[in-house]
Amino acid sequence: MAYAYLFKYIIIGDTGVGKSCLLLQFTDKRFQPVHDLTIGVEFGARMITIDGKQIKLQIWDTAGQESFRSITRSYYRGAAGALLVYDITRRDTFNHLTTWLEDARQHSNSNMVIMLIGNKSDLESRREVKKEEGEAFAREHGLIFMETSAKTASNVEEAFINTAKEIYEKIQEGVFDINNEANGIKIGPQHPTTNSPLSTSQGGQHAGGGCC
Amino acid sequence: VFQVHCDIKWHIQNRDSSVVNKFQKKFWKTKQTLIKVTGKKEDEHVVASDADLDAKLEVFHSIQRTCMELLKVIEQYQRRICFLSQEENELGRFLRFQGSQDKSRAGKIMQATGKALCFSSQQRLALRKPLCRLYQEIETFRYRAISDTWLTVNRMEQSRTEYRGALLWMKDVSQELDPDTHKQMEKFRKVQAQVRTTKSSFDKLKNDVCQKVDLLGASRCNLLSHILTTYQTTLLHFWGKTSHTMAAIHESFKGCQHKEVSTVKVRAFFHEEKNYRQKIKNMMIKALHGAKGLAFLQEQRPPVLLNGKLSVLYFILFMFLFFYSAT
């Protein structure tokens, strides 16, 4: 499929917070209650439309287990957006956010848009982290915040799309240098890089898509 | 012909790639082994994720070490019990013999005490049986349970090296990874599969080790509490018996020697001894000056350490020690 832009996303957070489930819900609109442990990284891709433009999200779903930490660090490079996920029913996953954030800031480019996600909002009865706490953390660190449920699909779409919108705005503002691939943004293959992004909606032949 | 050609080509390629694959696996495993052997700093996150396992290994090594120490201590303890019993027996026999020479009341006391000591020395040996049993049980525990756990630990370490090697490999291929590049993804999938298999085998062995070490600790506690009960009973029995005998002797001679042999007397005895030594010293000095001194020395023969007197002293000291330790 033709796309005007490709954004590289990375999903990070403690093990078992539902990173892979969020991705599965977003790409396949499915929920799997039992998910295999992610080994290193898995990939997902989906097309979305912002401002009438096709944007391909290339999503890197990283392993949350500690033994993969050094490996997943190399995946931060060149990501335009990051979803930092915690589990609202497990306080410790919220407590580890600072470490994750430090890690992300240290190994990615400074313009990366980070979305804080409190997942499993369907498990209200087992909630350990208040929504206000998540909001406060996001405000304090300049992140966007949302509570989602990969199970009920609540806010999942929005989380991914809002991040993309934020990135798109940053491109419009000229914060991102779209010609530099290290920023995690690629321009659609049908256009020479010098083209204006405005003319992307109709594509010629292209070799987009094909992500695992 | 073309089909055959293609088949052969495919086969060779396949074989080549499997050889390469094998070689790569070996390479990363060896690399990890080298890191481990040379004590180079390992990935802190990987190390941290094994913290629970490493804590269990620490427990295992402590069990291993303390079992060895316990065996040594039991052996020594047993030997000392034998020595003590021998000495006790000899003292008993000595007292009996000396007692038979002494027709006074003290002689009787000495004889009775000597008898009690001989009895105690025999009873003391009863402690050896539960100790032997403890020794054997721990020995068996070492040969069976510890060595079995040790085998699992070794297997786990092998698998850990393989897993960490695969992680190194994955880290290496992750440096330049693009999901839209088929070739890179193919390579990544291969490494991912390797990490997955080694991880699952390592996780299983890790679990095995943790469970086995827990079990090992629990079963050793069980073993000790079981066998030490027998030891304790025997020890109490021994103490009970001997203290009973000693108390009986003490009872039967109550009053008679209390006046005769008091601590004052003992002190006086030592005092006398001290004085006597001093005297000898002085006399020796004098003797150096002339035969007069020598005559003096002959004249002033020290009060011979009478057999009886010495034995009574022995007796008092022994009784004193005994009651002191019994209370």
Side-chain angles (χ1 to χ4, degrees):
Chain A
M1 243 175 107
Y3 57 83
Y5 295 110
L6 181 146
F7 295 165
K8 174 178 170 180
Y9 272 23
I10 178 164
I11 315 182
I12 52 174
D14 275 9
T15 183
V17 296
K19 297 183 292 296
S20 301
C21 289
L22 278 171
L23 176 64
L24 192 71
Q25 183 58 261
F26 181 65
T27 55
D28 290 27
K29 304 205 188 313
R30 282 195 294 134
F31 176 71
Q32 236 178 5
V34 185
H35 207 283
D36 282 349
L37 202 74
T38 308
I39 303 291
V41 68
E42 287 299 338
F43 302 97
R46 208 187 112 178
M47 284 295 198
I48 57 166
T49 315
I50 292 174
D51 205 11
K53 291 189 185 67
Q54 290 286 305
I55 291 170
K56 180 180 169 179
L57 299 184
Q58 180 193 77
I59 305 152
W60 297 48
D61 164 32
T62 65
Q65 274 208 324
E66 193 173 15
S67 48
F68 293 107
R69 196 62 46 89
S70 305
I71 294 171
T72 50
R73 272 183 189 153
S74 49
Y75 304 141
Y76 287 103
R77 197 167 23 84
L83 304 186
L84 173 53
V85 190
Y86 69 91
D87 178 352
I88 63 152
T89 68
R90 273 162 58 209
R91 164 74 51 185
D92 54 324
T93 65
F94 181 75
N95 294 341
H96 295 154
L97 288 180
T98 6
T99 331
W100 281 109
L101 203 58
E102 271 170 27
D103 236 31
R105 293 247 154 97
Q106 203 182 335
H107 296 94
S108 66
N109 70 70
S110 51
N111 291 320
M112 185 169 77
V113 175
I114 303 174
M115 160 78 86
L116 179 66
I117 291 177
N119 194 31
K120 308 197 186 177
S121 63
D122 54 294
L123 300 173
E124 193 54 52
S125 59
R126 279 162 50 196
R127 181 189 280 275
E128 276 181 17
V129 185
K130 279 193 229 125
K131 193 174 179 183
E132 293 74 37
E133 291 177 85
E135 281 168 347
F137 186 90
R139 228 184 357 260
E140 193 186 326
H141 296 91
L143 319 172
I144 332 170
F145 175 69
M146 223 170 230
E147 279 199 349
T148 62
S149 164
K151 191 176 177 183
T152 65
S154 140
N155 270 345
V156 174
E157 233 14 49
E158 288 83 346
F160 283 89
I161 292 171
N162 288 357
T163 312
K165 278 183 184 158
E166 184 92 3
I167 297 168
Y168 186 76
E169 270 168 37
K170 280 196 172 184
I171 295 173
Q172 303 303 91
E173 287 165 14
V175 178
F176 276 126
D177 173 13
I178 48 171
N179 292 321
N180 183 357
E181 280 198 7
N183 282 329
I185 300 160
K186 272 195 226 168
I187 299 172
Q190 71 274 35
H191 302 284
T193 43
T194 46
N195 263 16
S196 149
L198 287 172
S199 58
T200 44
S201 38
Q202 268 90 53
Q205 86 280 37
H206 32 67
C211 192
C212 40
Chain B
V1 172
F2 177 71
Q3 182 63 37
V4 170
H5 179 73
C6 281
D7 274 1
I8 290 171
K9 205 174 157 194
W10 179 84
H11 184 76
I12 290 171
Q13 267 180 353
N14 210 31
R15 205 190 56 191
D16 279 358
S17 88
S18 93
V19 168
V20 168
N21 199 13
K22 231 179 192 169
F23 176 75
Q24 279 172 322
K25 276 184 202 169
K26 277 256 160 53
F27 171 78
W28 290 103
K29 188 182 171 184
T30 314
K31 186 155 183 174
Q32 172 60 31
T33 313
L34 265 174
I35 290 176
K36 196 178 158 190
V37 170
T38 54
K40 235 166 90 181
K41 202 175 172 290
E42 293 198 47
D43 186 330
E44 50 174 338
H45 298 290
V46 175
V47 173
S49 65
D50 284 350
D52 49 342
L53 173 67
D54 287 323
K56 280 282 184 301
L57 284 181
E58 202 50 51
V59 173
F60 173 63
H61 290 134
S62 138
I63 291 177
Q64 233 181 348
R65 202 176 48 242
T66 49
C67 273
M68 264 319 281
E69 277 166 17
L70 191 55
L71 282 182
K72 273 188 214 149
V73 167
I74 294 172
E75 211 177 316
Q76 271 185 358
Y77 180 37
Q78 212 178 209
R79 211 180 304 142
R80 303 259 151 99
I81 284 180
C82 280
F83 288 154
L84 183 58
S85 167
Q86 260 172 30
E87 298 290 329
E88 204 176 14
N89 190 41
E90 245 149 67
L91 178 61
R93 279 173 49 201
F94 172 78
L95 282 182
R96 279 170 78 175
F97 175 73
Q98 296 298 337
S100 66
Q101 305 283 316
D102 192 333
K103 297 298 168 209
S104 75
R105 185 90 197 223
K108 281 210 174 98
I109 299 176
M110 282 191 284
Q111 268 185 306
T113 314
K115 228 177 179 174
L117 282 177
C118 289
F119 172 70
S120 155
S121 79
Q122 273 162 20
Q123 290 296 308
R124 195 181 290 280
L125 289 177
L127 286 175
R128 291 181 64 204
K129 211 179 143 198
L131 282 177
C132 268
R133 180 82 199 289
L134 179 63
Y135 189 93
Q136 280 162 3
E137 293 280 342
I138 291 178
E139 189 84 317
T140 316
F141 182 76
R142 272 189 54 221
Y143 276 124
R144 297 274 164 77
I146 293 187
S147 63
D148 175 69
T149 315
W150 187 75
L151 282 178
T152 316
V153 168
N154 270 4
R155 270 210 300 277
M156 181 280 295
E157 288 293 3
Q158 281 280 322
S159 149
R160 169 144 80 173
T161 309
E162 230 161 300
Y163 172 54
R164 288 190 176 178
L167 283 178
L168 284 179
W169 191 6
M170 184 175 239
K171 195 176 174 185
D172 184 64
V173 298
S174 291
Q175 298 306 320
E176 295 290 333
L177 189 60
D178 178 3
D180 290 337
T181 312
H182 184 67
K183 191 126 194 189
Q184 279 186 22
M185 276 315 289
E186 201 181 20
K187 195 174 173 194
F188 180 75
R189 291 288 172 215
K190 195 173 77 184
V191 182
Q192 198 180 33
Q194 170 72 2
V195 172
R196 190 172 280 125
T197 24
T198 51
K199 183 178 168 54
S200 81
S201 100
F202 170 59
D203 281 348
K204 192 193 156 291
L205 283 164
K206 185 177 177 173
N207 197 32
D208 281 3
V209 165
C210 289
Q211 278 180 351
K212 277 198 179 175
V213 171
D214 281 343
L215 207 67
L216 197 71
S219 66
R220 188 172 74 156
C221 277
N222 201 24
L223 183 145
L224 287 179
S225 76
H226 186 71
I227 303 196
L228 286 178
T229 311
T230 334
Y231 169 72
Q232 195 187 24
T233 319
T234 320
L235 189 66
L236 286 175
H237 192 66
F238 159 69
W239 276 344
K241 261 187 181 166
T242 46
S243 94
H244 186 75
T245 326
M246 293 296 186
I249 297 168
H250 180 244
E251 197 59 37
S252 61
F253 296 106
K254 218 172 190 177
C256 66
Q257 85 277 38
H258 211 74
K259 268 180 265 164
E260 286 173 36
V261 197
S262 63
T263 40
V264 179
K265 227 175 174 182
V266 175
R267 245 185 244 145
F269 175 80
F270 277 114
H271 192 66
E272 213 174 293
E273 268 274 293
K274 212 175 143 195
N275 279 348
Y276 168 63
R277 281 212 191 112
Q278 192 59 47
K279 262 183 202 159
I280 293 214
K281 213 172 153 191
N282 292 342
M283 280 184 288
M284 293 295 263
I285 295 165
K286 277 180 191 163
L288 287 175
H289 296 288
K292 208 173 110 193
L294 201 68
F296 177 73
L297 181 71
Q298 285 224 312
E299 199 183 273
Q300 291 279 311
R301 268 200 60 190
V304 174
L305 293 178
L306 291 168
N307 276 339
K309 213 169 185 177
L310 180 69
S311 314
V312 169
L313 178 77
Y314 261 131
F315 173 66
I316 293 161
L317 281 177
F318 186 78
M319 290 300 262
F320 176 72
L321 279 176
F322 176 75
F323 281 111
Y324 185 74
S325 64
T327 46

